[in-house]
Amino acid sequence: MTEDLAQQPPITANGFTRQWWKEAVVYQIYPRSFMDSDGDGMGDLNGITSKLDYVKGLGVDVIWLSPHFDSPNADNGYDIRDYEKVMAEFGTMADFDALLAGIKQRGMRLIIDLVVNHSSDEHRWFAESRKSTDNSYRDYYIWRQPGEDGGPPNDWTSFFSQRAWTLDDATGQYYLHLFARKQPDLNWENPEVREEVWQLMRFWLDKGVDGFRIDVIPLISKDQSFPNMPEDYRGKPSYYYANGPRMHEYIQEMNAKVLSHYDVMTVGEAVGTTLEQTALLVDERRNELNMVFQFDIVQLDRDSQGQWRDWDLPELKAIFSRHAAGLDAHSWSTVYVNNHDTPRSVSRYGDDDPAWRVRSAKVLQTMLLTQRGTPFIYQGEELGMTNFTFERVAQFDDIAVRNGWAAQLEAGRNDETSFVANLNKTSRDHSRTPMQWTDGPEAGFTTGTPWLAVNPNADEINAAAALADPQSIYHYVQALTALRHEYPALIYGDYADLAADDFRLFVYTRTLGDQTILVALNFSRKNADFALPGGRGESLLASVETPEQVGPVLTLAGWSAHIIRV
């Protein structure tokens, strides 16, 4: 018999404190690509509201809404002009309120992006800050005199292929921007800035949102001496910029002033953060964040220069084992293989050949929803949406691509074919193509011209087809979320990898008290056998048809998954 989580004690058998956000499944929505309700080619809040039953049908508990704030869109909303206003392209505050009400009516919760390492250069704070050196908002941002050679104060580079400093002619000083020039970094050393952040957080929490995904949170504290970057960090600047001297102080202040006064879920984007540093952010005794997004899995197929590289299954498995060993019962983690900043998971970790796409997508979703940590599904993963095949730089929207190509040309490297070939493996625009709702014009996303091209395979891969097919990925994800909610071991259970060195099979157990569940995944096209511990088990869910009782040898078909109680 399975057990009802609602009847479980507050502390699990292996020492975890039960929390709703640990037991939740999250669905991420990238608003401009989800659903367009007014025909302007860009997704909007009313479009999301119209599809809430579709999202709820997956069995998810929380929606994460990527930035919806007023923005000039230098970086698709991650450059915020007004934190208390909705982006005009997405609708109005009344539309946001209707969306939030619709989410609550369906028994789900909403977390939103909190982007406060930087703002837009069109924010009123920066407009004032740049007017003069004695403006009352001057210290809201990071300004420095030119270096000894008259150039930037140091040699820092931005994440978007530029210098991290821009000279402002009005005052002859440089301002810092670790991202685009239109994204100046806020000065967290200034307590007035922190109070502004606490107030905007309260504004949204008082509206009823249930927490925040906090963008690049490890970057908020800077070494105030602003030295040049050490040679060891060339090519990996995030590890130098992150975890500054006052970061934990600031996050603990955020918790004390705001978060501790609400029942919220917080997840930080832990750029530049090692597993060892992660525990300091999420240990519940430190009163900082609930969990963070670690980058180990989504950097698996990248070399030190961000170029695509081959990887193997034991490398992937080793990441999960390290995290299980590195975080104790006082710390919680996340599980994700796709978001708005990554290529499509089935094209990256699965097999997007038409013959294997559905089967491999089910394997990936099984892995996602049976690991320890709160799972995050990105829009379209439940359909097995794939990477788009780009042919020219002009087809990309991403500022990182545009700036990267400009830097290539400036350096005299104009091989567009090679540049695009790498992007076809690595670009985040793959996950930003519009959601594929139907096989009709523009995949049913818009009646106008979409802001980014629709993937041509929407004729075959779309939500209407998935809903009509009981064997679809969508319906399989439904079954997975139901199983995760039913079995505490799949949430809180201890983790053990049973085939760490196997290049085709990923087999692990989740154990909580007397409940042990084995998950077997075949990451190849060929059948593979695995001897079940104890000889036999009860089949709970399989991605292909199997008997209810299995053993003593489990035969996994190519790209298949099986969840068994042993």
Side-chain angles (χ1 to χ4, degrees):
M1 294 289 290
T2 56
E3 300 164 273
D4 184 349
L5 282 176
Q7 298 175 358
Q8 295 304 296
I11 305 295
T12 66
N14 55 353
F16 285 95
T17 301
R18 294 184 64 240
Q19 301 281 0
W20 65 263
W21 40 265
K22 294 178 183 177
E23 298 169 12
V25 176
V26 185
Y27 186 87
Q28 183 192 355
I29 291 178
Y30 193 66
R32 68 182 52 236
S33 296
F34 195 65
M35 182 64 196
D36 174 22
S37 71
D38 58 11
D40 67 354
M42 185 177 291
D44 48 48
L45 299 182
N46 287 336
I48 298 169
T49 301
S50 73
K51 297 295 186 181
L52 287 179
D53 287 337
Y54 169 88
V55 177
K56 175 64 176 177
L58 283 167
V60 303
D61 308 281
V62 177
I63 289 174
W64 159 25
L65 185 68
S66 290
H68 66 284
F69 313 97
D70 176 49
S71 169
N73 287 308
D75 185 22
N76 287 358
Y78 282 91
D79 49 316
I80 297 173
R81 183 166 48 201
D82 188 335
Y83 287 97
E84 296 182 3
K85 184 179 178 182
V86 171
M87 189 187 301
E89 295 89 338
F90 290 171
T92 66
M93 190 62 80
D95 296 331
F96 178 87
D97 292 340
L99 171 61
L100 180 58
I103 290 170
K104 301 286 190 178
Q105 287 164 7
R106 289 165 176 81
M108 296 185 290
R109 304 183 195 234
L110 175 67
I111 65 170
I112 61 174
D113 255 284
L114 181 67
V115 187
V116 287
N117 173 72
H118 49 267
S119 74
S120 167
D121 67 346
E122 297 183 26
H123 195 290
R124 64 177 179 84
W125 299 338
F126 192 74
E128 289 294 323
S129 182
R130 73 192 317 174
K131 285 181 178 178
S132 67
T133 56
D134 60 359
N135 188 280
S136 60
Y137 285 91
R138 187 66 170 183
D139 288 338
Y140 272 49
Y141 296 87
I142 300 170
W143 295 92
R144 289 296 183 273
Q145 290 293 119
E148 292 181 2
D149 60 356
N154 64 26
D155 64 357
W156 291 9
T157 56
S158 85
F159 291 104
F160 291 155
S161 305
Q162 299 171 325
R163 288 275 199 170
W165 298 92
T166 289
L167 180 66
D168 195 61
D169 292 334
T171 60
Q173 289 188 335
Y174 284 85
Y175 67 87
L176 178 68
H177 54 89
L178 294 183
F179 293 87
R181 292 188 179 100
K182 288 184 66 62
Q183 294 170 287
D185 279 39
L186 287 160
N187 178 20
W188 278 66
E189 294 283 321
N190 183 349
E192 293 181 18
V193 168
R194 301 200 299 276
E195 284 301 326
E196 296 273 16
V197 172
W198 311 155
Q199 186 52 45
L200 71 91
M201 292 173 70
R202 295 184 192 106
F203 173 85
W204 291 103
L205 292 171
D206 289 343
K207 265 189 171 292
V209 305
D210 298 287
F212 301 100
R213 175 266 189 187
I214 310 177
D215 190 61
V216 297
I217 187 67
L219 305 184
I220 58 175
S221 172
K222 279 81 173 176
D223 180 344
Q224 294 301 296
S225 68
F226 293 98
N228 284 331
M229 186 178 297
E231 195 63 36
D232 290 350
Y233 289 92
R234 305 287 176 188
K236 50 179 181 179
S238 63
Y239 288 92
Y240 182 64
Y241 299 148
N243 301 288
R246 299 184 68 188
M247 179 194 71
H248 292 294
E249 173 191 340
Y250 295 154
I251 299 174
Q252 287 170 359
E253 182 179 327
M254 175 190 290
N255 194 301
K257 293 289 186 68
V258 183
L259 300 175
S260 63
H261 299 279
Y262 300 84
D263 180 20
V264 296
M265 169 182 180
T266 55
V267 53
E269 183 190 23
V271 58
T273 300
T274 65
L275 179 59
E276 291 71 28
Q277 292 166 325
T278 293
L280 295 176
L281 284 164
V282 302
D283 188 315
E284 58 198 2
R285 297 165 296 187
R286 291 176 53 82
N287 299 315
E288 294 193 21
L289 302 176
N290 297 151
M291 62 193 105
V292 298
F293 290 126
Q294 253 280 344
F295 282 57
D296 290 351
I297 289 174
V298 295
Q299 290 178 342
L300 176 64
D301 60 356
R302 308 293 171 86
D303 64 19
S304 61
Q305 302 304 310
Q307 301 292 300
W308 181 84
R309 74 169 185 92
D310 282 319
W311 60 278
D312 59 45
L313 187 58
E315 289 181 273
L316 175 65
K317 292 187 282 190
I319 293 171
F320 284 109
S321 291
R322 284 200 305 272
H323 280 243
L327 296 176
D328 63 17
H330 297 291
S331 302
W332 196 249
S333 57
T334 62
V335 191
Y336 73 104
V337 288
N338 208 168
N339 63 25
H340 64 291
D341 279 337
T342 69
R344 284 286 173 186
S345 59
V346 73
S347 295
R348 192 176 189 185
Y349 308 104
D351 187 337
D352 63 7
D353 182 288
W356 298 99
R357 178 186 62 83
V358 170
R359 291 177 68 145
S360 68
K362 289 180 178 180
V363 167
L364 294 177
Q365 291 301 294
T366 308
M367 179 182 74
L368 177 72
L369 287 157
T370 58
Q371 287 284 346
R372 195 179 86 191
T374 299
F376 287 73
I377 302 168
Y378 180 71
Q379 64 186 45
E381 275 193 279
E382 75 282 4
L383 303 178
M385 284 178 62
T386 68
N387 283 353
F388 185 93
T389 302
F390 293 96
E391 297 176 348
R392 305 178 308 281
V393 170
Q395 292 176 286
F396 292 88
D397 171 82
D398 186 8
I399 187 173
V401 171
R402 297 196 302 269
N403 285 358
W405 180 235
Q408 292 278 311
L409 293 177
E410 187 176 342
R413 299 190 292 271
N414 61 355
D415 184 352
E416 184 175 11
T417 299
S418 295
F419 187 74
V420 171
N422 183 63
L423 290 170
N424 271 325
K425 295 284 192 179
T426 63
S427 174
R428 56 187 188 172
D429 271 351
H430 291 298
S431 284
R432 299 178 178 191
T433 60
M435 185 74 172
Q436 295 163 204
W437 293 106
T438 72
D439 61 3
E442 307 301 353
F445 164 72
T446 182
T447 56
T449 301
W451 73 279
L452 192 63
V454 170
N455 196 315
N457 63 19
D459 288 351
E460 295 83 34
I461 305 171
N462 60 74
L467 291 171
D469 178 6
Q471 301 304 313
S472 70
I473 306 162
Y474 179 96
H475 289 299
Y476 183 70
V477 171
Q478 275 184 331
L480 281 169
T481 58
L483 198 68
R484 184 178 179 89
H485 288 135
E486 189 175 9
Y487 283 90
L490 291 177
I491 300 171
Y492 296 109
D494 293 332
Y495 173 84
D497 186 345
L498 304 187
D501 297 324
D502 196 297
F503 281 80
R504 294 165 57 198
L505 290 179
F506 190 2
V507 185
Y508 51 92
T509 53
R510 304 294 312 282
T511 302
L512 183 64
D514 61 358
Q515 188 179 92
T516 296
I517 296 175
L518 180 143
V519 181
L521 311 171
N522 186 349
F523 272 72
S524 75
R525 296 182 177 185
K526 296 181 179 179
N527 289 4
D529 291 337
F530 184 81
L532 282 179
R536 303 194 70 80
E538 175 192 358
S539 177
L540 299 179
L541 182 65
S543 63
V544 297
E545 188 173 346
T546 57
E548 290 186 5
Q549 295 293 325
V550 290
V553 175
L554 174 66
T555 297
L556 284 168
W559 281 111
S560 70
H562 205 151
I563 303 173
I564 301 163
R565 184 162 186 175
V566 294

